[in-house]
Amino acid sequence: MRARPVRTALLAVAALGLLPLTATPATAETQPETGGRQHIAVHEGTGPSGPLLAAAYLRCFPTGGSHPTPEASCLKLALANGDYARVPQIHRACPRIYQPVTVVAHGTWHGKTTAYQHTYANQCIANAESGDIFNLTPWSD
């Protein structure tokens, strides 16, 4: 009857937590989204059907994506609770040239779907009024 010492040893190892008694799933549970994911596109003209001038993907908390300034942009969006209309503006002089651009942004912010579209008189104004969130390559004011 050698089975008893082996079974006793296995139970002792399991009790110490070194041997799991039940199978665990191979994949971890999906963590809830803590920040936001935004796709931002700048179109020439007064609507989103105009030629695409620039686009970027912005991921917040954790910060990343293809946006040129993700940390600063995520901080500004966080201060506005994900609402582009509430982002603090940058006060700068912009030319008074009418060369409209339409910005379209959509994604999620803390699990809620977001959508924003606005036409600005020119790219400089779009950049300033968005706190430079819409300042995507190739522009630099």
Side-chain angles (χ1 to χ4, degrees), residues 79-92:
L79 291 172
N81 198 27
D83 184 355
Y84 288 96
R86 295 179 55 209
V87 170
Q89 296 181 10
I90 295 173
H91 299 287
R92 70 165 61 113

Side-chain angles (χ1 to χ4, degrees), residues 7 11-12 25-26 28-29 43 49-50 53 59 73 88-89 97 99 102 104 106 109 113 115 128 133:
R7 184 173 35 175
L11 288 173
E29 290 183 29
H43 297 269
S49 61
L53 298 174
R59 189 179 68 238
S73 296
Q89 296 181 10
I97 298 170
Q99 194 171 18
T102 299
V104 178
H106 61 87
W109 188 260
T113 302
I133 294 174

Side-chain angles (χ1 to χ4, degrees), residues 49-69:
S49 61
L52 180 65
L53 298 174
Y57 175 70
L58 177 64
R59 189 179 68 238
C60 299
F61 313 113
T63 305
S66 62
H67 195 282
T69 57

Side-chain angles (χ1 to χ4, degrees), residues 42-43 53-54 92 94 97 99-103 120-130 132 134-136 139-141:
V42 181
H43 297 269
L53 298 174
R92 70 165 61 113
C94 286
I97 298 170
Q99 194 171 18
V101 295
T102 299
V103 177
Y120 296 91
N122 60 47
Q123 185 65 50
C124 180
I125 294 170
N127 296 347
E129 289 188 7
S130 70
D132 273 337
F134 300 148
N135 192 358
L136 308 175
W139 296 283
S140 59
D141 292 335

